[in-house]
Structure formats: structure tokens, C-alpha cells
Amino acid sequence: MAGWAGVELSALNPLRTLWLALAAAFLFALLLQLAPARLLPSCALFQDLLRYGKTKQSGSRRPAVCRAFDVPKRYFSHFYVISVVWNGSLLWLLSQSLFLGAPFPNWLGALLRTLGATQFQALEMESKASRMPVAELALSAFLVLVFLWVHSLRRLFECFYISVFSNAAIHVVQYCFGLVYYVLVGLTVLSQVPMDDKNVYVLGKNLLIQARWFHILGTVMFFWSSAHQYKCHVILSNLRRNKKGVVIHCQHRIPFGDWFEYVSSANYLAELMIYISMAVTFGLHNLTWWLVVTYVFFSQALSAFFNHKFYRSTFVSYPKHRKAFLPFLF
């Protein structure tokens, strides 16, 4: 196992490098916000690129040059439209390959190899050193891609039928990043499928036979986390509706119930748990996916920090025991 860990850590392919860089960037941004105020960069654009929604509206009036690049926050739905279509297509291609032996299109195979796709000959040689068997890794990637597609489909539903968006904005750079994000995440999952040239490892009819405890645990954690996130979004939505479900205002109120009793950004905590459930589904030792989880952790922690700061500065009666992101810790 030690030898496998060394191989994993030394293989810093393009995808791992990208996720590591993103995680480091958001960690640096978070540390800057936690530093004394005098050390914070005074550049308005820097702060504008980090904040979105209600946290852009707090504090002094934003410069006109920043407001010129605003995009409505309700455009979040575009991210999930892209994800449902793109990752649904990847899921279809993967299903055809895993169960019917159909090769990936040439462009997709070449792209995955460039990004650092897993080669299953190497996996077979290393399986004797306690590495996850090839078939189990293929099943893990399939399940995680299913989870990603289901997650995007639910979030798209919530954007259209649950969430009540105000006139809050996001920066156009944040918008473009969001469009690219789910494309990149889908490719990251697909790159974990064992490949030989343009062919992938074929599971055939042995799907259930390859299921292991971490597949089951990861699935349970995914639906548990998703249910909590859905409930949190309903709670936030109901703050702007009357008892009949009619939207009556777009103002901000203090949320109560579910994980909001512990943290200000319970929906962000649920997002982190969803990605951790995918790491469990990968068997807990997939370095590439843990780098994705690390990025999600720091990016959500940064947004939660801004949310917490907004709530505490806006509401005098805001519960003092609540933390920003992690119950009892942060």
C-alpha cells in the first residue's frame, strides 16, 4: 500500500495539477479574509470576484466598473442545464462502453488521455499491491457520474421551482467559471475509468457482483446529503413565501431548522458532504477526487465565511452559537 501511495503522489497529471491549483487559490483567498483587515487587498475587483449574491451588496457601494460586469444570480440555472446535458451525454457514452463494449469517440478518448486517464494495464499490474481491482474502479466511476448527473438534475429543478432569486448578482467571470466547472468535473470522473487506448474496461453483466461496501456507503451518503441540501433550499425559499407558497418579498431573513441550527450555510455544508460521498464511492483512496473535494471545501468555506459575516452584521439577534460552515468548529 505504501508503494501505491508513493506512485499516486508522484503522478501529478494535468487534472490533478488543475484541482490542486484551484484548491490552493481558494485557500489563499480564505486565509486573506481571516487575516487582519489591514492586510486585505484594497482592490475592489479582487473582493468582487470572491463575493456573489447578497455578500456583494454588503459594505460600501461597489464601483461602477465592477457593476458593469454583473450577471443575475438566477443564471445559476445555466450551470445545471450545461451539467445535465454534458454529463448526461458522458454517462450515456460510459454506459455504452462499460456494458456493451462500445469505444469512446476518438475526440473524447484523446481528451481523456491528455487529462491523465487511468490506464488499466497499469492497474492490473498494481492490483497485487492492494490497489482497487479494475472492475471496482470502473463501477465507482460509473456510480459517481450517475450521482453527478442526479445532483445537477435536482439542482436544476430547485432553480426553476424551489429557489426564489432576488436581484442579486454574480461577476461574469464567476458565471463563466460556473459554466466550465461542471464540464471539468464530468471529465474528471470519466478520466478515472480504466482505459486501454480508446477502449474502457467492460463490466458487462457483472455490475452487482463488483459492488463493495464503499459503493453502498457512498450511495447512502449521497442521498442523505442530497436530502439535507434539498431541505435547506426549501427552508431558504420559504423565508420569501407565505403559508400558501406565494412569493411575497425577496428580502433576507434568518433561516432556522435542519443544519441551519448549527451553521449559517447549511446548504454549502451539504454540498461538501455530497462530494465526500463521491470520494467514499471511489473507495476513499482516489487522489484525484480528493483534490476535487479539497477545492470544494475551500471554495464553499470562503462563501460560507462571507454569508456568516453578512448575517451577523445584518441581524442583531442572529444566533451566536452558529458557526459559518463546520458545526462547532468554523
Side-chain angles (χ1 to χ4, degrees):
M1 182 64 74
W4 167 80
V7 171
E8 282 283 88
L9 290 173
S10 64
L12 202 59
N13 60 36
L15 268 179
R16 290 175 180 171
T17 302
L18 177 58
W19 288 115
L20 180 61
L22 286 172
F26 277 89
L27 170 60
F28 178 70
L30 178 60
L31 292 176
L32 281 179
Q33 301 304 317
L34 296 174
R38 66 179 184 278
L39 299 180
L40 285 177
S42 58
C43 178
L45 178 59
F46 175 77
Q47 292 294 330
D48 209 55
L49 287 173
L50 296 181
R51 301 169 184 263
Y52 63 86
K54 59 181 174 289
T55 61
K56 279 187 182 294
Q57 302 168 355
S58 59
S60 59
R61 182 173 174 82
R62 296 163 57 224
V65 66
C66 291
R67 287 182 275 117
F69 293 97
D70 281 355
V71 174
K73 186 184 174 183
R74 65 176 63 92
Y75 283 8
F76 268 23
S77 60
H78 298 178
F79 304 160
Y80 304 113
V81 170
I82 293 294
S83 183
V84 168
V85 174
W86 170 255
N87 291 313
S89 300
L90 294 185
L91 182 59
W92 170 256
L93 292 173
L94 179 59
S95 300
Q96 293 289 303
S97 295
L98 289 180
F99 305 120
L100 300 179
F104 283 158
N106 291 333
W107 66 268
L108 182 57
L111 177 59
L112 292 173
R113 287 192 296 274
T114 301
L115 293 175
T118 302
Q119 299 296 312
F120 71 70
Q121 301 103 320
L123 289 182
E124 287 173 346
M125 289 188 296
E126 293 171 7
S127 63
K128 296 180 181 179
S130 301
R131 179 154 188 166
M132 181 189 294
V134 179
E136 292 179 13
L137 179 57
L139 176 57
S140 293
F142 172 74
L143 289 174
V144 170
L145 195 55
V146 170
F147 295 164
L148 181 61
W149 186 77
V150 170
H151 172 66
S152 302
L153 190 64
R154 176 182 60 80
R155 290 292 293 120
L156 182 61
F157 169 82
E158 291 172 356
C159 285
F160 286 152
Y161 299 106
I162 303 296
S163 300
V164 180
F165 293 105
S166 64
N167 293 323
I170 59 177
H171 196 280
V172 67
V173 172
Q174 295 170 323
Y175 175 74
C176 292
F177 177 80
L179 294 177
V180 174
Y181 173 78
Y182 282 102
V183 173
L184 181 62
V185 172
L187 289 173
T188 301
V189 176
L190 205 61
S191 72
Q192 304 309 296
V193 180
M195 292 182 61
D196 180 8
D197 192 21
K198 64 179 180 179
N199 297 309
V200 304
Y201 185 88
V202 180
L203 281 174
K205 299 180 179 179
N206 298 323
L207 179 65
L208 295 179
I209 297 177
Q210 304 301 332
R212 297 295 181 263
W213 66 268
F214 48 84
H215 295 135
I216 298 172
L217 178 59
T219 300
V220 172
M221 287 182 62
F222 171 77
F223 286 103
W224 170 73
S225 305
S226 298
H228 276 286
Q229 189 177 58
Y230 175 81
K231 187 174 181 179
C232 290
H233 288 147
V234 170
I235 290 172
L236 292 172
S237 173
N238 287 340
L239 294 175
R240 296 177 173 179
R241 301 176 186 269
N242 60 20
K243 294 182 178 180
K244 295 182 179 180
V246 179
V247 177
I248 55 176
H249 65 80
C250 289
Q251 299 175 4
H252 298 286
R253 295 288 186 267
I254 302 176
F256 292 96
D258 203 66
W259 291 352
F260 282 114
E261 297 300 321
Y262 305 99
V263 294
S264 297
S265 298
N267 49 331
Y268 296 166
L269 175 59
E271 183 84 1
L272 173 64
M273 294 306 300
I274 287 170
Y275 279 83
I276 290 177
S277 74
M278 297 177 185
V280 173
T281 305
F282 269 125
L284 289 170
H285 55 66
N286 187 296
L287 175 60
T288 302
W289 196 256
W290 277 116
L291 290 174
V292 176
V293 172
T294 303
Y295 156 74
V296 171
F297 176 84
F298 289 126
S299 63
Q300 298 296 295
L302 179 62
S303 297
F305 172 80
F306 288 136
N307 274 350
H308 190 63
K309 190 174 181 179
F310 170 85
Y311 281 126
R312 294 185 65 182
S313 63
T314 304
F315 304 103
V316 177
S317 61
Y318 194 72
K320 295 182 179 180
H321 68 276
R322 285 191 194 178
K323 297 297 183 180
F325 185 49
L326 300 177
F328 314 113
L329 296 176
F330 171 74

